[in-house]
């Protein structure tokens, strides 16, 4: 039975990750075909360096992801602190509502945001995409920071206040350094989700504000080339790097919690 489960797990992993591996391999293909290997080459990566459309899309992706990460990290951290440290009316409904963007399918959230912007007669542009990304990133940041706050000893803050520090000094010198692994981990995850997002970005971006994911989708209409594979490989590498960093901070976060308990 154990061997059967092992074989089943191997088949599932191959089904999920083998196509990704094929994309990475054929991004180094010398020829124009994506199914016929003609030799190793970095031709398509060199082609990307001279593609202004790709660089424009990359710039838009970085601007959106950077701005959305900063805003969602600030709001998400503040929300986590409020939910964990204070008691107030409607705390439970607010906490549950905050996680709706994670539960709701992307297509539903995208249509809802598009309808919202249309009702307010807001023209779709770079800022509408940033707002949309902030909406779903806040939930992820809040969850991660709240996990860091589990087991948090609030008597440390009380001691700082008794010694003459004000609330802002206590926050920046005591609270923030302690929860920083959770904050940084949440920010890294938010950046990764933002730069990889397609559905919500596609619905909320205007003309001239194409991101890398939308650029790939538009390019597929004219056929798949190894250049698309190269762009996809770069996005994959970006995601892997930031996910590894996120897991590292998350692990550090859990070790700190265990150490305090």
């Amino acid at each position: 039975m154990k061997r059967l489960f092992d074989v089943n797990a191997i088949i599932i992993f191959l089904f999920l990750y083998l196509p990704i591996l094929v994309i990475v391999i054929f991004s180094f293909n010398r020829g124009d075909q994506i199914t016929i290997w003609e030799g190793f080459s970095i031709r398509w990566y060199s082609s990307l360096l001279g593609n202004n459309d790709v660089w424009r899309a990359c710039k838009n992706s970085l601007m959106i992801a950077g701005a959305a990460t900063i805003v969602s990290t600030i709001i998400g951290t503040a929300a986590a602190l409020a939910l964990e440290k204070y008691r107030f009316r409607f705390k439970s409904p607010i906490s549950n509502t905050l996680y709706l963007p994670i539960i709701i399918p992307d297509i539903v959230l995208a249509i809802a945001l598009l309808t919202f912007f249309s009702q307010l007669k807001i023209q779709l542009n770079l800022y509408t995409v940033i707002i949309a990304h902030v909406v779903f990133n806040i939930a992820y940041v809040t969850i991660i920071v709240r996990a860091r706050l589990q087991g948090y000893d609030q008597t440390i803050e009380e001691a700082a206040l008794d010694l003459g520090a004000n609330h802002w000094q206590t926050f920046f010198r005591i609270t923030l350094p302690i929860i920083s692994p959770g904050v940084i981990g949440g920010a890294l995850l938010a950046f990764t989700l933002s730069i990889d997002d397609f559905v919500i970005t596609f619905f909320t971006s205007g003309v001239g504000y194409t991101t890398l994911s939308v650029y790939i989708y538009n390019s597929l209409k004219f056929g798949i080339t190894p250049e698309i594979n190269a762009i996809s490989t770069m996005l994959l590498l970006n995601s892997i790097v930031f996910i590894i960093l996120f897991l590292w901070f998350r692990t550090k976060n859990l070790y700190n919690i265990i150490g305090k308990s």
Side-chain angles (χ1 to χ4, degrees):
M1 184 62 69
K2 181 179 181 300
R3 181 173 299 179
L4 181 61
F5 280 121
D6 292 341
V7 172
N8 183 60
I10 292 173
I11 292 174
I12 292 175
F13 275 101
L14 288 176
F15 177 78
L16 291 175
Y17 296 108
L18 192 58
I20 299 176
L21 181 61
V22 171
I23 288 176
V24 174
I25 292 174
F26 276 90
S27 68
F28 296 97
N29 188 17
R30 181 184 302 167
D32 298 334
Q33 303 295 321
I34 63 168
T35 56
I36 302 176
W37 180 258
E38 298 182 21
F40 180 85
S41 175
I42 59 171
R43 164 192 173 187
W44 300 106
Y45 289 93
S46 301
S47 175
L48 290 179
L49 296 177
N51 191 328
N52 292 329
D53 292 335
V54 171
W55 285 109
R56 191 178 301 110
C58 182
K59 178 183 176 181
N60 290 335
S61 293
L62 292 175
M63 289 177 59
I64 293 169
T69 298
I70 293 173
V71 176
S72 60
T73 300
I74 294 174
I75 298 176
T77 301
L81 289 169
L83 291 171
E84 285 296 322
K85 296 176 62 177
Y86 304 104
R87 294 182 179 180
F88 49 89
R89 292 183 63 185
F90 308 115
K91 176 179 177 178
S92 181
I94 292 174
S95 177
N96 295 333
T97 303
L98 192 63
Y99 300 141
L100 281 178
I102 299 178
I103 303 171
I104 297 175
D106 285 350
I107 186 65
V108 176
L109 183 59
I111 295 173
L113 288 167
L114 178 60
T115 304
F116 173 76
F117 293 136
S118 299
Q119 290 295 323
L120 295 180
K121 296 182 174 14
I122 299 176
Q123 185 177 1
L124 299 180
N125 51 38
L126 196 68
Y127 299 105
T128 56
V129 183
I130 293 174
I131 293 172
H133 284 209
V134 169
V135 168
F136 68 79
N137 275 332
I138 288 175
Y140 291 97
V141 175
T142 303
I143 289 175
I144 296 170
V145 177
R146 287 190 72 178
R148 178 65 186 96
L149 287 168
Q150 296 295 322
Y152 176 73
D153 188 1
Q154 297 192 29
T155 58
I156 301 176
E157 294 183 0
E158 296 173 1
L161 293 171
D162 290 339
L163 292 172
N166 58 39
H167 289 282
W168 285 109
Q169 289 174 328
T170 301
F171 174 75
F172 284 107
R173 296 186 179 183
I174 305 296
T175 308
L176 188 58
I178 292 176
I179 67 173
S180 59
V183 174
I184 297 174
L188 290 172
L189 182 59
F191 185 87
T192 302
L193 294 172
S194 180
I195 207 168
D196 288 345
D197 180 76
F198 166 73
V199 177
I200 296 176
T201 303
F202 183 78
F203 276 79
T204 58
S205 61
V207 179
Y209 299 99
T210 303
T211 62
L212 272 177
S213 57
V214 177
Y215 175 84
I216 293 174
Y217 171 77
N218 293 332
S219 299
L220 292 176
K221 299 176 183 178
F222 304 100
I224 303 176
T225 67
E227 185 177 40
I228 302 298
N229 292 343
I231 299 175
S232 302
T233 302
M234 293 174 62
L235 278 174
L236 176 64
L237 180 62
N238 169 81
S239 299
I240 291 174
V241 170
F242 278 95
I243 288 297
I244 290 175
L245 289 174
F246 161 71
L247 292 175
W248 184 81
F249 278 103
R250 180 187 175 192
T251 303
K252 184 178 180 181
N253 178 19
L254 293 176
Y255 283 158
N256 287 337
I257 293 175
I258 295 173
K260 287 182 173 294
S261 58

